[in-house]
Amino acid sequence: MAKKIKIKIKVNGKKVQLIKKTSIRSLLNKLKIPIKMVAIELNKKILDKSKIGKIYVQENDKIEIVHFIGGG
Amino acid sequence: MDNLIIEKKKYKSRLIVGTGKYKNFEECAKAVKISGADIVTVAVRRVNIVDKSKPLLMDYLNPKKINYLPNTAGCFTSEEALRTLRLAREIGGWKLVKLEVLGDKKSLLPDMIETIKSTEVLVKEGFKVMVYCNDDPLMAKRLENSGASAIMPLASPIGSGLGIVNNVNIKIIRKNTKIPLIIDAGIGDAVDAAEAMQLGCDGVLVNTAIANAKKPLLMAEAMKLAVIAGRKSYLSGRISKTIMGKPSSPKKGTI
């Protein structure tokens, strides 16, 4: 059986390991983050949420997932 | 009806409230409701990917029922502020945003050069920008000319509770501007909010004065009433001030 290749990325400053060919959409699903309520940045570029099913994470990617919190 | 109008949209209340510093979201949601505000400011921050048991703001304040105004609170450069608002827009298509670029970590006073630069970029990108600024009539005019949707001069530093420290400048800004003028930051109590409205401002933004009051819910109601009273008082046209007294009862018929 072929061994699944793992890659390391950073999500919101935290190290995360994933198998290769994981899309951003499946990463969010895995983290149980409601896509409707967030915005996603991949290596400082904001992603169009309608396309994140076709964007795959790469080694050393830096992903930021943000939402609204209380503020003045 | 005497509505607050920003970018052709009408709002029932002239009070905008912040959603930070509350004990919990429950208290925040209650205070917002009591205040009658239909715009609330919100901040953009990282999702906690480790602990997902924490409650979310959107569970308590439904963005379909109340207008979220994304804010760049805590940004010290134009770059950070632009990044924050572009992300905010991506969350759910928000175009009306509040820009705040701070220049000094202690006083939290705005950096007006970075603020003007950011306003110009955001306007070009199609944002409707309400801009936090100094109580400087010339800077306020520059912002208006840069295409700001509202100017939001401070009463005094953020969270200071000092109230309006330069009401002459606010009066000059009022005279000079045609776009909505909303006092942002420094309001300490309902009297300050009423004063802002009496000066002819179109609205007031309050966060700390409600959230950190001993009784936040009671203060939320006081703010609501103060803004209404101040507005009505302004529209009524106050009497002129004189040094000497003028009797309220007629002299004729005195015994």
Short mmCIF file of all heavy atoms in Angstrom, two decimals, chain A residues 28-50:
data_model
loop_
_atom_site.label_atom_id
_atom_site.label_comp_id
_atom_site.label_asym_id
_atom_site.label_seq_id
_atom_site.Cartn_x
_atom_site.Cartn_y
_atom_site.Cartn_z
N LEU A 28 -10.67 23.25 5.83
CA LEU A 28 -11.65 23.94 6.67
C LEU A 28 -12.69 22.97 7.23
O LEU A 28 -13.07 23.06 8.40
CB LEU A 28 -12.34 25.07 5.90
CG LEU A 28 -11.68 26.44 6.13
CD1 LEU A 28 -10.43 26.60 5.32
CD2 LEU A 28 -12.63 27.57 5.89
N ASN A 29 -13.11 22.04 6.40
CA ASN A 29 -14.07 21.03 6.87
C ASN A 29 -13.47 20.21 8.00
O ASN A 29 -14.11 19.91 8.99
CB ASN A 29 -14.50 20.12 5.72
CG ASN A 29 -15.40 20.86 4.75
OD1 ASN A 29 -16.00 21.88 5.08
ND2 ASN A 29 -15.47 20.37 3.52
N LYS A 30 -12.19 19.84 7.80
CA LYS A 30 -11.48 19.05 8.80
C LYS A 30 -11.38 19.81 10.13
O LYS A 30 -11.51 19.23 11.21
CB LYS A 30 -10.06 18.77 8.28
CG LYS A 30 -9.59 17.37 8.59
CD LYS A 30 -8.19 17.16 8.06
CE LYS A 30 -7.39 16.62 9.21
NZ LYS A 30 -6.05 16.36 9.02
N LEU A 31 -11.17 21.12 10.04
CA LEU A 31 -11.06 21.95 11.24
C LEU A 31 -12.43 22.36 11.76
O LEU A 31 -12.54 23.09 12.75
CB LEU A 31 -10.23 23.20 10.94
CG LEU A 31 -8.74 23.00 10.64
CD1 LEU A 31 -8.12 24.29 10.12
CD2 LEU A 31 -7.99 22.53 11.87
N LYS A 32 -13.48 21.91 11.07
CA LYS A 32 -14.88 22.23 11.44
C LYS A 32 -15.12 23.75 11.50
O LYS A 32 -15.75 24.28 12.41
CB LYS A 32 -15.25 21.59 12.78
CG LYS A 32 -15.24 20.08 12.74
CD LYS A 32 -16.01 19.51 13.93
CE LYS A 32 -16.09 18.01 13.90
NZ LYS A 32 -14.85 17.33 14.36
N ILE A 33 -14.59 24.43 10.49
CA ILE A 33 -14.78 25.88 10.44
C ILE A 33 -15.86 26.19 9.40
O ILE A 33 -15.76 25.77 8.25
CB ILE A 33 -13.45 26.59 10.05
CG1 ILE A 33 -12.44 26.42 11.20
CG2 ILE A 33 -13.68 28.06 9.76
CD1 ILE A 33 -11.04 26.85 10.86
N PRO A 34 -16.91 26.90 9.81
CA PRO A 34 -17.98 27.23 8.85
C PRO A 34 -17.48 28.23 7.80
O PRO A 34 -17.14 29.38 8.15
CB PRO A 34 -19.08 27.83 9.73
CG PRO A 34 -18.41 28.24 10.99
CD PRO A 34 -17.17 27.43 11.16
N ILE A 35 -17.43 27.80 6.56
CA ILE A 35 -16.83 28.60 5.49
C ILE A 35 -17.54 29.95 5.32
O ILE A 35 -16.90 30.97 5.07
CB ILE A 35 -16.81 27.79 4.18
CG1 ILE A 35 -15.82 26.62 4.34
CG2 ILE A 35 -16.42 28.64 2.97
CD1 ILE A 35 -15.88 25.55 3.30
N LYS A 36 -18.84 29.94 5.53
CA LYS A 36 -19.64 31.17 5.36
C LYS A 36 -19.19 32.30 6.29
O LYS A 36 -19.39 33.47 6.00
CB LYS A 36 -21.11 30.87 5.68
CG LYS A 36 -21.94 30.55 4.46
CD LYS A 36 -23.27 30.10 4.97
CE LYS A 36 -24.44 30.74 4.33
NZ LYS A 36 -25.67 30.17 4.93
N MET A 37 -18.65 31.93 7.45
CA MET A 37 -18.36 32.96 8.45
C MET A 37 -16.91 33.41 8.47
O MET A 37 -16.50 34.14 9.37
CB MET A 37 -18.70 32.41 9.84
CG MET A 37 -20.17 32.18 10.05
SD MET A 37 -20.44 31.72 11.76
CE MET A 37 -22.21 31.48 11.77
N VAL A 38 -16.11 32.98 7.52
CA VAL A 38 -14.68 33.32 7.58
C VAL A 38 -14.16 33.88 6.25
O VAL A 38 -14.84 33.83 5.23
CB VAL A 38 -13.83 32.08 7.96
CG1 VAL A 38 -14.21 31.55 9.33
CG2 VAL A 38 -13.92 30.99 6.90
N ALA A 39 -12.94 34.41 6.31
CA ALA A 39 -12.19 34.75 5.11
C ALA A 39 -10.86 34.03 5.22
O ALA A 39 -10.37 33.78 6.33
CB ALA A 39 -11.98 36.25 5.01
N ILE A 40 -10.31 33.66 4.07
CA ILE A 40 -9.08 32.86 4.07
C ILE A 40 -8.00 33.54 3.24
O ILE A 40 -8.26 34.03 2.14
CB ILE A 40 -9.35 31.45 3.50
CG1 ILE A 40 -10.58 30.83 4.17
CG2 ILE A 40 -8.14 30.53 3.68
CD1 ILE A 40 -11.52 30.21 3.19
N GLU A 41 -6.80 33.52 3.82
CA GLU A 41 -5.66 34.09 3.13
C GLU A 41 -4.63 32.99 2.96
O GLU A 41 -4.33 32.26 3.91
CB GLU A 41 -5.08 35.17 4.05
CG GLU A 41 -4.51 36.36 3.37
CD GLU A 41 -3.93 37.35 4.38
OE1 GLU A 41 -3.14 36.93 5.25
OE2 GLU A 41 -4.28 38.52 4.31
N LEU A 42 -4.13 32.83 1.75
CA LEU A 42 -3.09 31.83 1.49
C LEU A 42 -1.83 32.59 1.10
O LEU A 42 -1.81 33.29 0.08
CB LEU A 42 -3.53 30.89 0.36
CG LEU A 42 -2.50 29.91 -0.18
CD1 LEU A 42 -2.04 28.94 0.90
CD2 LEU A 42 -3.05 29.14 -1.37
N ASN A 43 -0.80 32.48 1.90
CA ASN A 43 0.45 33.21 1.68
C ASN A 43 0.19 34.68 1.36
O ASN A 43 0.67 35.22 0.37
CB ASN A 43 1.27 32.54 0.57
CG ASN A 43 1.56 31.10 0.91
OD1 ASN A 43 1.77 30.74 2.06
ND2 ASN A 43 1.53 30.24 -0.10
N LYS A 44 -0.64 35.29 2.20
CA LYS A 44 -0.99 36.72 2.14
C LYS A 44 -1.88 37.11 0.95
O LYS A 44 -2.13 38.29 0.71
CB LYS A 44 0.27 37.60 2.16
CG LYS A 44 0.99 37.54 3.50
CD LYS A 44 1.60 38.86 3.86
CE LYS A 44 2.05 38.86 5.30
NZ LYS A 44 2.75 40.07 5.68
N LYS A 45 -2.38 36.11 0.20
CA LYS A 45 -3.32 36.43 -0.87
C LYS A 45 -4.71 35.95 -0.46
O LYS A 45 -4.88 34.81 -0.06
CB LYS A 45 -2.90 35.74 -2.17
CG LYS A 45 -2.20 36.69 -3.14
CD LYS A 45 -1.94 36.01 -4.46
CE LYS A 45 -3.18 36.09 -5.36
NZ LYS A 45 -2.90 35.43 -6.67
N ILE A 46 -5.69 36.85 -0.55
CA ILE A 46 -7.05 36.48 -0.14
C ILE A 46 -7.65 35.54 -1.19
O ILE A 46 -7.53 35.77 -2.39
CB ILE A 46 -7.93 37.73 0.04
CG1 ILE A 46 -7.37 38.59 1.18
CG2 ILE A 46 -9.38 37.34 0.32
CD1 ILE A 46 -8.03 39.93 1.34
N LEU A 47 -8.27 34.47 -0.71
CA LEU A 47 -8.84 33.49 -1.63
C LEU A 47 -10.32 33.75 -1.87
O LEU A 47 -11.05 34.16 -0.97
CB LEU A 47 -8.68 32.08 -1.05
CG LEU A 47 -7.24 31.62 -0.80
CD1 LEU A 47 -7.24 30.22 -0.20
CD2 LEU A 47 -6.42 31.63 -2.09
N ASP A 48 -10.75 33.50 -3.09
CA ASP A 48 -12.16 33.54 -3.44
C ASP A 48 -12.76 32.24 -2.90
O ASP A 48 -12.38 31.15 -3.32
CB ASP A 48 -12.25 33.62 -4.97
CG ASP A 48 -13.69 33.61 -5.46
OD1 ASP A 48 -14.58 33.24 -4.67
OD2 ASP A 48 -13.90 33.97 -6.63
N LYS A 49 -13.71 32.38 -1.96
CA LYS A 49 -14.22 31.19 -1.27
C LYS A 49 -14.90 30.20 -2.21
O LYS A 49 -14.98 29.01 -1.90
CB LYS A 49 -15.18 31.61 -0.15
CG LYS A 49 -14.46 32.18 1.06
CD LYS A 49 -15.36 32.21 2.28
CE LYS A 49 -16.17 33.48 2.33
NZ LYS A 49 -16.96 33.58 3.56
N SER A 50 -15.36 30.68 -3.35
CA SER A 50 -16.03 29.76 -4.27
C SER A 50 -15.02 28.85 -4.98
O SER A 50 -15.41 27.90 -5.64
CB SER A 50 -16.85 30.56 -5.29
OG SER A 50 -15.98 31.32 -6.10
#
